[in-house]
Amino acid sequence: MKEHISQLRDRYRSDYQFKTFFSSAWSILIGSVFALFNAVLGVFYHSVWNGSISVYYMLLTIVRGIIVLSQRSHNAHDIDKNRRICIRTHILMIVMDLCLIAPIAFMVMGERTFKYGLIPAIAMAAYTTYRITMGVIQYRSSRKHENLLVKELRVINLQDALVAVLSLQNALIIANGSSAKSMILLTGWTSVAIWLIIVSFAVRSFLGVRAKNG
């Protein structure tokens, strides 16, 4: 057992691709917990925002799962199959990103009859900090890596981090309660900017895959 753990640790340190898929498997667990957390908030507070974000995170977790499982079911160096998986999951990501328009619009303009306590806001702040830190570090590390699915996982991590920022922004607005209306303009601009960045990452990554596929 100890020898097996030692081998895994050595491979994690030396094999960048293995490290990526191993950390992505961990991200599937963390993302599922965060999706469940938002689902609970959505039910408890009757919040359309939290309910829709919970669905978004579950779909993002499914995309991660498809990519990770695909590497277990076929040769990781099968370039043609990697491209097909990449194209399909990228299309799903872009559709998901377009669906973010509705919850963002609700966050900016929606009337809220409830107010979060500090615990949900702190939990979202912790998750956001973790995702941003890991997303940036991993994205920079993967820029020179040739595996298309590794690159896509890094894009997913960045999207995860940016949507977490939107969730945190919404949580802070609700935590402040009465000051929400005065923040509509600022919230609108920052939300649109973040959404455009999310979409641009997905589209740019998709076009890169299509270019290599051509």
Side-chain angles (χ1 to χ4, degrees), residues 22 25 33 40 44 56 74 96 100 117 126 131 134-135 147 172 174 187-188 190 196-197:
F22 184 87
V33 171
V40 171
F44 187 80
Y56 181 90
H74 77 278
M96 289 162 49
L100 275 176
R131 283 268 44 116
M134 297 304 297
N147 187 299
L172 293 176
I174 295 175
T187 301
T190 56
L196 288 174
I197 294 172

Side-chain angles (χ1 to χ4, degrees), residues 40-143:
V40 171
L41 291 179
V43 172
F44 187 80
Y45 291 104
H46 303 287
S47 169
V48 175
W49 163 264
N50 290 106
S52 59
I53 287 301
S54 172
V55 173
Y56 181 90
Y57 269 105
M58 283 308 301
L59 291 174
L60 204 63
T61 297
I62 290 171
V63 172
R64 273 198 183 106
I66 291 172
I67 295 172
V68 171
L69 289 176
S70 71
Q71 294 298 282
R72 292 177 60 89
S73 62
H74 77 278
N75 189 340
H77 300 290
D78 188 341
I79 298 176
D80 289 336
K81 193 162 187 176
N82 283 351
R83 284 173 176 165
R84 290 196 295 272
I85 293 170
C86 252
I87 289 173
R88 292 167 186 169
T89 50
H90 269 87
I91 291 172
L92 178 57
M93 275 199 301
I94 292 172
V95 172
M96 289 162 49
D97 293 341
L98 292 176
C99 291
L100 275 176
I101 294 174
I104 288 174
F106 182 84
M107 178 179 68
V108 175
M109 304 302 297
E111 295 293 331
R112 299 169 180 84
T113 58
F114 59 91
K115 182 178 179 180
Y116 285 157
L118 285 178
I119 293 179
I122 291 172
M124 289 186 185
Y127 181 80
T128 302
T129 302
Y130 167 75
R131 283 268 44 116
I132 290 176
T133 302
M134 297 304 297
V136 171
I137 292 174
Q138 292 170 349
Y139 184 80
R140 288 174 61 88
S141 300
S142 69
R143 293 179 67 181

Side-chain angles (χ1 to χ4, degrees), residues 143-158:
R143 293 179 67 181
K144 296 182 179 180
H145 204 278
E146 293 301 320
N147 187 299
L148 294 175
L149 295 178
V150 169
K151 288 179 176 292
E152 184 180 4
L153 284 171
R154 298 319 189 192
V155 172
I156 290 173
N157 289 339
L158 277 178

Side-chain angles (χ1 to χ4, degrees), residues 180-192:
K181 289 184 178 180
S182 64
M183 297 177 66
I184 286 178
L185 184 60
L186 176 61
T187 301
W189 282 110
T190 56
S191 298
V192 169

